[in-house]
Amino acid sequence: MSSPGITSMFTNFTKLCKGLALVLVVGHLLVQFVPATVPYLALIPARTIPFGWNLITSGYFELSVHGVVISTVSLLFMGKFLEPVWGSKEFLKFIFVVNFLTYLCVFVTAIALYYITRLEIYLYMPFAGFHGVLAGLLVGIKQIIPDQEVLLVKIKAKWLPSIMLVLSIASSFFTLNSAAYLPTLIFGTYMGWLYLRYFQRRPETKLRGDPSDDFAFSTFFPELLRPIIDPIASIFHRMLCGRSNATSEDHGYTTSGAPLPGSDSAEASRRRERGARALEERLATERLVPPRNKEESQSDALDNV
């Protein structure tokens, strides 16, 4: 007989995630049994005009069996931790925005590659799959529980997006269809970070984004490269949230970029603490790790005050 902890590990998935998983499965079955629907649902750059809706639909079905299995399982497990922290409405909004922006960037990149190389494969290659959104969700895991070690592999969550990209880029040298998935993973990771860094609205503070140093763009890279990455990233940072004094004040910043008291940086730290506590409580419920003792709980309460 299986233990209650192992059983609960594969249950308690949110209704929203189960609904989205069903969409992915139905989408996969549809294109398998009715292949004629692929040109209308997948992103094929040469057909995007006038089939502009495929910038949205291309992300919600998989062309391969292993793709739909990986996507549904990953969605269920990541959504299990992210949706309670963000809320169902924000979780769904994140998926929609990241999916659309990811495939918009893939479309622009494919057109640019065609004009550079004159290879028509970039115009007629079908781009589809939920992996762009999954890459963005990994960034969400990095944000809320950066120092939490992932079970089994014992790797801190903050390194998951970087490791995924490194492995994907490395494997692209040995696979023939890497162009079909690599741009989606890269843009999904970046769009997920961009949205969480600058645009995610938090109703409790009426502020946007997460300007903390622990979530800077350079944190995706090893310490050795950060002195090189930071000056470049700061240019885009000023473009996005340093356009005017009014904009800076709205984001809790002074004109010099230093955070004001009670600004987003402090709220970002509290959000990560809530995320870590939510994860620990869920894992404790599933009997994968012991719950924290009473003294630690009282300490957290004092910290929140």
Side-chain angles (χ1 to χ4, degrees):
M1 295 179 62
S2 61
S3 66
I6 297 299
T7 301
S8 60
M9 179 180 178
F10 295 95
T11 57
N12 301 325
F13 299 118
T14 67
K15 291 182 179 179
L16 176 58
C17 288
K18 288 190 284 189
L20 290 171
L22 180 61
V23 170
L24 294 176
V25 173
V26 171
H28 172 71
L29 294 176
L30 177 64
V31 299
Q32 290 299 310
F33 289 103
V34 191
T37 59
V38 173
Y40 297 95
L41 297 178
L43 172 62
I44 301 177
R47 298 174 180 267
T48 299
I49 300 175
F51 298 163
W53 60 80
N54 58 32
L55 291 171
I56 298 175
T57 58
S58 53
Y60 299 107
F61 72 94
E62 295 283 351
L63 296 173
S64 63
V65 175
H66 67 273
V68 72
V69 171
I70 293 174
S71 292
T72 52
V73 172
S74 300
L75 170 64
L76 290 172
F77 277 95
M78 286 195 283
K80 192 176 184 179
F81 299 118
L82 288 174
E83 187 182 341
V85 177
W86 290 349
S88 298
K89 183 178 179 180
E90 178 58 36
F91 184 76
L92 186 61
K93 180 181 177 182
F94 176 88
I95 289 176
F96 179 83
V97 171
V98 170
N99 176 71
F100 174 74
L101 293 179
T102 295
Y103 279 99
L104 179 62
C105 291
V106 169
F107 168 72
V108 173
T109 301
I111 297 297
L113 288 174
Y114 166 72
Y115 280 108
I116 293 172
T117 64
R118 292 297 174 177
L119 296 177
E120 292 189 354
I121 185 176
Y122 295 115
L123 291 180
Y124 294 98
M125 177 183 297
F127 296 93
F130 198 67
H131 42 280
V133 173
L134 294 179
L137 292 176
L138 271 183
V139 179
I141 297 291
K142 167 188 170 70
Q143 180 194 36
I144 65 171
I145 48 172
D147 295 318
Q148 180 71 39
E149 288 188 346
V150 180
L151 297 177
L152 300 179
V153 293
K154 299 299 181 182
I155 297 174
K156 289 187 177 181
K158 64 183 179 181
W159 294 115
L160 291 180
S162 303
I163 292 173
M164 179 272 298
L165 286 179
V166 169
L167 293 177
S168 300
I169 293 172
S171 66
S172 68
F173 293 101
F174 306 99
T175 56
L176 298 176
N177 63 339
S178 59
Y181 66 85
L182 188 58
T184 311
L185 290 174
I186 294 174
F187 286 123
T189 301
Y190 184 71
M191 290 303 158
W193 174 81
L194 195 71
Y195 178 81
L196 295 174
R197 178 71 165 173
Y198 296 106
F199 302 109
Q200 186 184 54
R201 179 182 290 276
R202 297 189 301 283
E204 68 272 15
T205 61
K206 296 182 180 181
L207 298 173
R208 292 179 181 269
D210 180 356
S212 62
D213 291 339
D214 293 335
F215 197 56
F217 184 69
S218 60
T219 60
F220 288 87
F221 299 86
E223 292 281 354
L224 182 65
L225 297 177
R226 291 181 188 179
I228 302 174
I229 301 297
D230 278 329
I232 300 174
S234 65
I235 298 175
F236 296 96
H237 178 80
R238 287 193 295 269
M239 291 172 58
L240 287 168
C241 65
R243 291 187 294 268
S244 65
N245 291 345
T247 302
S248 299
E249 291 173 0
D250 289 341
H251 286 268
Y253 275 76
T254 62
T255 55
S256 62
L260 295 171
S263 69
D264 285 15
S265 182
E267 174 59 29
S269 298
R270 288 195 293 269
R271 176 165 52 179
R272 283 194 294 274
E273 291 174 3
R274 290 197 300 270
R277 285 197 298 272
L279 175 62
E280 290 182 4
E281 291 170 0
R282 184 173 291 275
L283 292 177
T285 301
E286 296 173 354
R287 299 185 180 179
L288 295 179
V289 297
R292 296 186 302 176
N293 56 39
K294 182 178 180 181
E295 288 76 13
E296 289 175 323
S297 301
Q298 292 175 343
S299 176
D300 284 340
L302 291 175
D303 290 340
N304 288 336
V305 174

